[in-house]
Structures are given as structure tokens and as C-alpha cells.
Amino acid sequence: VRITFDKELHTAYRATDLFDASLPTYPALDAGQVILEVKFNQYLPTHIRALLQGSAQDRCAISKYCICRKFEL
């Protein structure tokens, strides 16, 4: 099981060099937004499932890639 919190998602407009530190980047999330990502193989432990069930936040499937690409449209 891997759980991550992403709150500083940035994009670089039309960038092709992933490791160019001089590229200007732009925030892809609104202030205060956080992405909770839960990845697991075939089994999600019961205690983790119970923690996630109690959340009152919006649940949806997202793609961080798609969030960043919307700035190119």
C-alpha cells in the first residue's frame, strides 16, 4: 500500500526536458487543494479502508497528467 499527499503540483508549459531546472512552472492546483492518492495491489487492508470510508471529502478518479495538460489547451 502506498499513500501520498500532493499539494504542490506544478506544470511547465510545453516542456520537453524533464530535468531542466530553469523552466518556469505554474501551479496546477488551486490554493488549499490536496490530492490524496492511495495505491494498492489486490488487497487494501481493512484499517486503511475504514479510514478512507470516513472521509467527507470529494472522491473521484483523477489524473495528475491530465490536470497539468489542461494548461496547454
Side-chain angles (χ1 to χ4, degrees), residues 2-6 34-38 51-52 55 60 62:
R2 184 176 79 189
I3 299 174
T4 58
F5 295 91
D6 295 308
V34 177
I35 297 171
L36 167 65
E37 181 178 48
V38 180
L51 288 171
L52 297 174
S55 175
C60 61
I62 63 158

Side-chain angles (χ1 to χ4, degrees), residues 1 4 8 11 15 17 20 26 28 35 38-40 45 48 52 58 61 65 68-69:
V1 176
T4 58
E8 294 292 331
T11 185
D17 185 359
D20 183 356
Y26 309 95
I35 297 171
V38 180
K39 290 188 175 183
F40 58 97
I48 294 176
L52 297 174
D58 294 331
Y65 174 79
C68 291
R69 284 296 303 256

Side-chain angles (χ1 to χ4, degrees), residues 6-61:
D6 295 308
K7 62 180 180 177
E8 294 292 331
L9 186 63
H10 282 72
T11 185
Y13 182 70
R14 298 199 183 263
T16 57
D17 185 359
L18 180 65
F19 300 105
D20 183 356
S22 67
L23 286 173
T25 62
Y26 309 95
L29 296 175
D30 294 333
Q33 279 188 317
V34 177
I35 297 171
L36 167 65
E37 181 178 48
V38 180
K39 290 188 175 183
F40 58 97
N41 289 335
Q42 297 175 8
Y43 173 72
L44 182 62
T46 307
H47 61 283
I48 294 176
R49 184 182 304 273
L51 288 171
L52 297 174
Q53 293 294 331
S55 175
Q57 302 299 316
D58 294 331
R59 261 193 245 178
C60 61

